[in-house]
Amino acid sequence: MFEGRPDRGAEIVFVGRSNVGKSTLMREFTGHTFTTGKKPGVTRSPNHYDWAGADFTFTDLPGFGFMEGVDEEAREAIKDDIVRYIEDHSEEILVGVLVVDGKAVIDIIDRHESRGEIPHDVEMFHFLREVGIPTVVAVNKMDKVEERDDRLDALCDRLGLPGPWQQWRDTIAPISAKRGQTAPLREALETQLREQHRDDLLQFI
């Protein structure tokens, strides 16, 4: 069970598979360097970043799914902890940011579905929404993707959102965290916060 959450009443969480760039994205938003690495599964407990005097925190949850050198039992335990954390703090979580690898996500989803499995990314997207958390999908590494619109339309299809993707700009945000290209995500988060009358938090976005 994760421990050490700051005593904050408002939170934005970043969740996604290992090695999709969540920690890099957190650095873009906070200016603070978090532990990152090429080896999946470096982040095993949440990274929180909060501000003195502000009732708000960003949280980078551990990566889920396949991790080289991590057995299935440990992977399932991490995923269970992530689900429990989100359930326990659903009232405080204003937005859930599901980070996916724009280059690989369609192949990963299709591979799982061809085996009769529910893909983790799809499952997490619907879980966040089912517990009442507004969800933005940050489609990272888009600088490596050709035919961007086709790829984003395909992702919407897999998530059950009728295309074209452009009508979901408050939900689908194509970005490249490593290159600092995060404007679509910032705009989507601003929209979500304004809808919840939390303009006081826009300064952190």
Side-chain angles (χ1 to χ4, degrees):
M1 188 64 184
F2 301 143
E3 296 176 355
R5 181 186 182 275
D7 184 17
R8 295 290 184 263
E11 180 173 7
I12 290 177
V13 298
F14 293 80
V15 62
R17 291 182 173 278
S18 298
N19 231 23
V20 294
K22 295 190 310 301
S23 299
T24 304
L25 195 51
M26 281 278 282
R27 188 173 64 229
E28 280 297 309
F29 273 82
T30 66
H32 183 78
T33 299
F34 296 87
T35 304
T36 62
K38 290 202 175 294
K39 186 177 180 183
V42 168
T43 307
R44 293 291 185 86
S45 56
N47 281 317
H48 301 283
Y49 191 86
D50 59 337
W51 288 261
D55 191 24
F56 173 70
T57 184
F58 280 119
T59 299
D60 173 20
L61 290 169
F64 56 75
F66 175 76
M67 291 171 250
E68 194 172 345
V70 181
D71 64 44
E72 186 173 352
E73 189 174 334
R75 294 199 303 265
E76 283 300 314
I78 291 169
K79 190 177 160 208
D80 289 345
D81 283 344
I82 292 168
V83 167
R84 195 174 301 117
Y85 182 94
I86 291 169
E87 287 178 332
D88 289 349
H89 300 291
S90 60
E91 293 294 318
E92 292 88 17
I93 298 172
L94 301 178
V95 188
V97 180
L98 173 62
V99 187
V100 301
D101 181 334
K103 192 175 180 189
V105 65
I106 302 300
D107 290 341
I108 292 171
I109 289 173
D110 289 352
R111 189 163 63 242
H112 281 272
E113 287 189 334
S114 71
R115 298 197 296 247
E117 302 166 356
I118 300 174
H120 291 318
D121 304 281
V122 175
E123 186 179 32
M124 186 60 68
F125 176 74
H126 291 294
F127 167 67
L128 285 163
R129 287 159 56 114
E130 280 166 14
V131 295
I133 297 172
T135 305
V136 176
V137 182
V139 192
N140 197 19
K141 308 184 184 182
M142 285 300 289
D143 54 305
K144 300 177 180 178
V145 173
E146 297 178 3
E147 307 293 340
R148 288 166 53 98
D149 289 343
D150 290 347
R151 182 67 55 91
L152 294 167
D153 285 344
L155 178 59
C156 283
D157 177 66
R158 304 309 191 271
L159 294 174
L161 304 174
W165 79 269
Q166 286 91 342
Q167 66 180 319
W168 299 101
R169 288 185 189 275
D170 59 346
T171 303
I172 302 292
I175 62 168
S176 174
K178 196 172 271 188
R179 295 195 173 196
Q181 297 167 354
T182 58
L185 177 57
R186 293 177 191 274
E187 290 164 11
L189 290 175
E190 286 176 4
T191 299
Q192 299 289 356
L193 291 176
R194 283 200 170 98
E195 286 183 358
Q196 297 178 63
H197 308 292
R198 292 306 305 262
D199 294 43
D200 57 308
L201 300 179
L202 295 178
Q203 61 182 307
F204 302 113
I205 307 301

